[in-house]
Amino acid sequence: MLTETLQRMAEERGGVIGVEPGLVIEPDESWTPVRELLREPYTLLTELVDETAARWNAPRHVGAALFWKTYGYWHTLPMALGWALDGRVPVMRPAETYFKVSGAGVTLAATRVSWACGAGAIAAALEESQRPLVEVLSALAKVGERTLWGSTAEAIAHPLTSVVPGDYMRLLKELGPPLDGLVEPAGDGYFRRTCCLWITLPDVEPCGSCCVLRPRTPPERR
């Protein structure tokens, strides 16, 4: 079910998608192992952050946040969709995961995918695959980890409100920290409780889920 859903997404987006619909690839020279992003002194990761910052004429910390918004989204989306579709979660282990720069920002795939079930499998995958990158990005670019994890939380909520209906609030609750509490429902959509920093760019409109658009809670009367 999941690969069919991803293929439909790819067709609807004119092929611009950040994960290979079949998930599994035989990598050629166009693919880079994800583990290279964590190879000290983090030259490749720094280049990607700086390229993102230059593209939007943004400071480095904003470039890091926007890079992660893309990378974290496409890494998380297949797991969120799998959970919502039939409970089967595709896990791409770091040593088997590859990426390439693409029209979607980055595109991810793996040489092998294992299948697990439940929120626990997603939490473990995020801990293994995303936490090291979040920590390095935070240190390299002086951007808050909570800001970065907010984009991962949105990568749970967005596909489950726009691609396949799913109880994203229940999933976030089951995932627990650091994701639980970073998104709140609002009608048919949601708001973030952290900012992806897109709004800090000149002459842009806020994302529809931006925390700056959240209605203010009136103070309690005494």
Side-chain angles (χ1 to χ4, degrees):
M1 294 177 68
L2 175 60
T3 55
E4 289 84 351
T5 300
L6 293 174
Q7 183 60 51
R8 186 177 71 249
M9 285 184 64
E11 292 168 356
E12 291 172 351
R13 297 168 61 93
V16 180
I17 186 172
V19 61
E20 281 291 312
L23 300 177
V24 177
I25 57 161
E26 289 288 341
D28 57 23
E29 64 278 359
S30 68
W31 293 92
T32 301
V34 161
R35 62 178 178 270
E36 293 297 319
L37 295 175
L38 292 171
R39 187 183 298 278
E40 295 186 62
Y42 311 116
T43 302
L44 178 56
L45 184 59
T46 299
E47 288 176 355
L48 291 168
V49 167
D50 288 346
E51 287 170 3
T52 304
R55 185 183 316 132
W56 299 109
N57 191 28
R60 174 181 275 190
H61 73 285
V62 177
L66 296 179
F67 169 77
W68 183 253
K69 184 175 183 178
T70 297
Y71 185 101
Y73 181 82
W74 292 114
H75 180 265
T76 306
L77 175 138
M79 294 187 287
L81 290 180
W83 178 88
L85 285 165
D86 58 9
R88 300 178 69 238
V89 174
V91 177
M92 297 188 284
R93 304 297 300 274
E96 298 162 340
T97 306
Y98 287 71
F99 80 95
K100 62 181 176 182
V101 176
S102 71
V106 294
T107 295
L108 297 166
T111 54
R112 187 176 71 89
V113 171
S114 58
W115 294 87
C117 294
I122 299 177
L126 296 177
E127 187 70 20
E128 181 181 37
S129 296
Q130 292 196 18
R131 181 174 291 281
L133 282 167
V134 165
E135 291 177 347
V136 170
L137 277 172
S138 177
L140 278 177
K142 304 298 187 291
V143 59
E145 290 186 20
R146 192 169 185 268
T147 292
L148 302 177
W149 284 122
S151 290
T152 297
E154 181 167 31
I156 296 288
H158 183 265
L160 300 192
T161 54
S162 64
V163 182
V164 173
D167 189 348
Y168 63 90
M169 290 298 290
R170 176 167 72 89
L171 178 53
L172 288 168
K173 187 72 173 178
E174 291 179 3
L175 290 173
L179 302 187
D180 185 31
L182 298 185
V183 167
E184 64 181 40
D188 294 332
Y190 60 89
F191 285 118
R192 290 176 58 135
R193 287 181 169 168
T194 64
C195 183
C196 72
L197 302 187
W198 169 261
I199 191 61
T200 65
L201 300 178
D203 303 319
V204 301
E205 295 293 326
C207 307
S209 61
C210 186
C211 58
V212 304
L213 300 177
R214 289 171 60 207
R216 290 182 177 273
T217 303
E220 293 183 7
R221 292 185 177 181
R222 295 186 177 182

